[in-house]
Amino acid sequence: MGDSIRNDRESDPLISVVIPVYNVESYVGRCLDTVLGQTYQNIEVIIVDDGSTDSSGTICRKYAVSDPRIRVIRQENGGLSAARNTGIYHTHGKFITFIDSDDTVQKDMIAYLYHLISAYECPMSLCCLTTVFTGKDKRKEVGNGMECRMSAHDALESMLYHGFVDTSAYAKLYDRFLFTSIRFPVGKLFEDIGTTYKLFIQSGYIACGFKCKYNYFVRPNSIVTGKFSERKFDLLEMTDTMAGDVLTVYPDLSKAIRRRQVYARFSTLDQMITHGGWDDFPRERKAMIAYIRKYGKQILQDPKAPRRDKVAILALFLSPSFYALLWRLYKKYIK
């Protein structure tokens, strides 16, 4: 099998591509061009215009006029989760995939994901990401090019330790039955963390292809990279809810779960250091530091925990201010 997979048989099932759109007039055309140029042709593209106030909706409607595979649904702004949920409701395909409107995909991504589902007889498949840092001429790829059939247990363990399996809703293909009772949490940030693990468990087995087929663009002033706000504490809520649910099904993943919970605290602290908030939320900051100090020794003794976790824990044990300084240096000179 070559790097580019082609599917154009009439018997290929319809695949629904759900694209939430909100104020991305500079990027959405680039995204749609890569979706419409897929080698897998039997697709429908469900664009959910989530109350855009720029020309995004107009651009999408122009694309819909020229390609009958596109449908544009306009709704009042409800956030990414609400837009994805609306998209799911309007799909007709046997399979569903999600693409964010400021990202792009390789021309054979859908064909590759469908190949994995067919070859490994799983209701869900995934591929890896290329992270593109806008304005920095920098790209980061993960993956080793291998393919395998992975149990939900093993996929979750990889995700919890930040292996090749990630929490993102995109770069995956789902049999629509997986969404019979699962939806994205409306009104929350980090909604993928609150949803993807449920889809893993529901699926049972996941067909994994560790090739980079999805291009994730990191933009300044996005939800992730913008100024810190209280809403970013949603990461802790989503992670802790996931922890409880996963432990109910797989209690032997307790070490991996604890590692992910500690990581979520570090990730939030890092955003507070980088994007403001370190001094604005002293109670929450102290609670996160106390949590890391309480459970950090467990992570230090876990052979599967990444080395960077252990360096961060040791730095924080020395002093929170020392850790903050180390993180600023890391962001400036290394990352």
Side-chain angles (χ1 to χ4, degrees), residues 18 20 48 75 79-89 98-100 168-170 183-184 191-192 195:
V18 175
V48 181
Q75 66 179 28
L80 181 58
S81 288
R84 284 177 177 165
N85 291 341
T86 296
I88 293 169
Y89 178 80
F98 301 97
I99 298 174
D100 282 1
S168 61
Y170 44 74
R183 290 294 185 273
F184 293 91
E191 60 286 318
D192 292 2
T195 309

Side-chain angles (χ1 to χ4, degrees), residues 266 269-270 273 278 285-286 288-290 292-293 312-328:
F266 269 120
L269 288 172
D270 294 344
I273 296 167
W278 184 263
R285 184 188 74 234
K286 290 176 182 177
M288 288 186 288
I289 291 172
I292 294 169
R293 283 177 167 160
I313 290 167
L314 291 173
L316 189 72
F317 279 2
L318 286 173
S319 164
S321 59
F322 175 70
Y323 173 77
L325 174 63
L326 196 66
W327 175 254
R328 291 189 182 99

Side-chain angles (χ1 to χ4, degrees), residues 76-295:
E76 292 185 5
N77 181 252
L80 181 58
S81 288
R84 284 177 177 165
N85 291 341
T86 296
I88 293 169
Y89 178 80
H90 287 277
T91 58
H92 296 97
K94 165 65 175 169
F95 299 98
I96 300 172
T97 190
F98 301 97
I99 298 174
D100 282 1
S101 53
D102 53 353
D103 295 334
T104 64
V105 293
Q106 298 296 314
K107 65 181 181 180
D108 65 340
M109 186 197 76
I110 293 176
Y112 181 60
L113 291 172
Y114 178 62
H115 149 73
L116 292 168
I117 279 181
S118 300
Y120 294 94
E121 299 182 338
C122 296
M124 177 179 172
S125 64
L126 59 83
C127 63
C128 288
L129 313 177
T130 296
T131 302
V132 182
F133 297 89
T134 304
K136 294 185 179 182
D137 193 28
K138 181 180 177 183
R139 302 167 67 91
K140 179 182 178 181
E141 294 189 354
V142 297
N144 57 12
M146 302 296 289
E147 296 179 3
C148 66
R149 185 175 190 259
M150 191 176 287
S151 68
H153 173 282
D154 292 349
L156 285 166
E157 184 175 36
S158 175
M159 181 192 76
L160 293 167
Y161 281 118
H162 277 89
F164 292 146
V165 178
D166 60 47
T167 61
S168 61
Y170 44 74
K172 297 173 177 66
L173 184 65
Y174 312 87
D175 192 302
R176 69 175 301 111
F177 86 81
L178 295 175
F179 289 98
T180 301
S181 60
I182 296 174
R183 290 294 185 273
F184 293 91
V186 176
K188 298 292 184 181
L189 298 182
F190 308 100
E191 60 286 318
D192 292 2
I193 294 174
T195 309
T196 304
Y197 76 91
K198 296 179 182 179
L199 294 163
F200 284 169
I201 294 172
Q202 181 81 353
S203 181
Y205 287 89
I206 299 93
C208 302
F210 299 123
K211 292 182 179 180
C212 296
K213 299 294 183 180
Y214 188 101
N215 303 314
Y216 167 66
F217 284 78
V218 178
R219 297 186 290 113
N221 300 317
S222 68
I223 292 176
V224 174
T225 61
K227 182 176 174 57
F228 190 87
S229 70
E230 190 171 6
R231 292 190 66 202
K232 293 193 177 181
F233 291 120
D234 287 353
L235 175 61
L236 306 184
E237 179 186 346
M238 295 291 100
T239 301
D240 291 347
T241 299
M242 173 183 67
D245 291 347
V246 171
L247 284 175
T248 299
V249 182
Y250 302 115
D252 64 305
L253 291 179
S254 58
K255 288 183 179 179
I257 279 290
R258 187 66 72 194
R259 180 267 158 184
R260 187 76 191 209
Q261 289 177 292
V262 167
Y263 169 83
R265 271 75 185 172
F266 269 120
S267 180
T268 305
L269 288 172
D270 294 344
Q271 290 200 46
M272 294 171 76
I273 296 167
T274 306
H275 304 296
W278 184 263
D279 296 321
D280 297 335
F281 300 94
R283 181 176 61 84
E284 291 84 354
R285 184 188 74 234
K286 290 176 182 177
M288 288 186 288
I289 291 172
Y291 188 98
I292 294 169
R293 283 177 167 160
K294 181 177 180 179
Y295 296 109

